[in-house]
Amino acid sequence: MIIKVCGMREAENIKDVDNIDAVNWMGFIFFPKSKRHVESLPSYMPRNSKRVGVFVNAEKDDILTKCHEYGFDIIQLHGNEDADYCQSLRHLLDKSIKIIKMIQVSDNTDIRSVSKYEDVVDYFLFETKCQSYGGSGTQFDWNILEQYEGSRPFLITGGITPDDAEKVKAFHHPMFAGIDLNSKFETSPAFKNVEAIKAFVANF
């Protein structure tokens, strides 16, 4: 299972999380309204985890620039980007770079709407529907994902806490690929509780 830790920014904290063997991906948010917005390249970037750049309705040229500067392996689109946008970005990116599309979920209708992205992204990230792009820190009903019949693997995010290991292990779907951890594992915005992450991932 993929363990993604998102909203990283501080060099020493990045290094500590990168040294947790079970952490596979690490996310960096480029959205000025976010408390976890990255303004400049940290002095340490992940060497063990794949680097994920998180963007919200960004100009494609900005994404390409950040890809070059930060060495991203994966681009996460966390806004209202449509399928045409995703396809256009796919043609501009290096072929080795994967694309994740975030989908906000509240009911079965949201799950059915993802089909238009099937051919232009590599993963979906299912997030709790809310007014903002940064997430609400609350969970949606994962049972809704039983309606997902797509061919792309997906990750779940939205309010996953250090106490949710058993819930994650109990969830089953043939395309379930992993989870995204963020605010519930922080001591302050963009600073992760390393011991809490270690204890959580030891369950898998």
Side-chain angles (χ1 to χ4, degrees):
M1 184 174 66
I2 296 167
I3 304 289
K4 175 175 178 276
V5 179
C6 199
M8 302 299 294
R9 186 170 60 206
E10 310 300 327
E12 284 303 314
N13 196 226
I14 294 168
K15 185 174 183 179
D16 289 341
V17 173
D18 192 38
N19 285 329
I20 302 173
D21 289 340
V23 174
N24 310 105
W25 297 355
M26 201 176 301
F28 299 84
I29 297 172
F30 297 90
F31 182 51
K33 294 182 180 179
S34 171
K35 297 176 183 177
R36 299 162 187 85
H37 175 59
V38 178
E39 294 186 357
S40 60
L41 180 67
S43 59
Y44 180 93
M45 286 293 286
R47 299 170 186 174
N48 304 314
S49 308
K50 290 187 179 297
R51 305 175 184 184
V52 183
V54 181
F55 298 89
V56 176
N57 303 325
E59 294 292 335
K60 282 170 277 194
D61 285 346
D62 185 42
I63 294 177
L64 296 175
T65 298
K66 292 291 194 302
C67 270
H68 178 74
E69 184 180 1
Y70 287 76
F72 289 130
D73 303 287
I74 303 165
I75 295 300
Q76 178 177 317
L77 302 175
H78 212 83
N80 299 323
E81 302 89 358
D82 61 18
D84 288 341
Y85 177 104
C86 296
Q87 185 173 39
S88 174
L89 181 63
R90 160 89 64 202
H91 290 315
L92 295 171
L93 291 170
D94 185 280
K95 295 187 186 306
S96 66
I97 297 175
K98 305 298 184 183
I99 297 177
I100 304 171
K101 181 69 185 84
M102 182 278 296
I103 304 293
Q104 291 192 340
V105 176
S106 65
D107 57 37
N108 295 342
T109 304
D110 299 315
I111 298 301
R112 291 193 291 270
S113 72
V114 306
S115 59
K116 59 192 174 187
Y117 293 101
E118 283 280 332
D119 296 331
V120 293
V121 304
D122 301 285
Y123 296 90
F124 290 115
L125 176 68
F126 292 124
E127 164 76 285
T128 307
K129 182 171 280 188
C130 62
Q131 295 291 321
S132 66
Y133 294 114
S136 63
T138 60
Q139 293 185 21
F140 65 94
D141 180 3
W142 296 358
N143 291 322
I144 294 171
L145 299 179
E146 293 177 4
Q147 303 299 315
Y148 177 66
E149 298 178 346
S151 62
R152 297 303 182 194
F154 66 82
L155 286 78
I156 297 174
T157 191
I160 297 175
T161 77
D163 297 323
D164 284 328
E166 292 304 317
K167 180 178 180 180
V168 173
K169 288 195 291 184
F171 179 78
H172 298 287
H173 188 289
M175 301 310 291
F176 176 46
I179 53 175
D180 185 328
L181 311 178
N182 199 342
S183 62
K184 301 300 184 181
F185 287 82
E186 289 184 332
T187 56
S188 60
F191 198 92
K192 299 301 184 286
N193 183 327
V194 176
E195 295 308 313
I197 295 173
K198 286 181 179 178
F200 182 82
V201 300
N203 291 283
F204 303 99

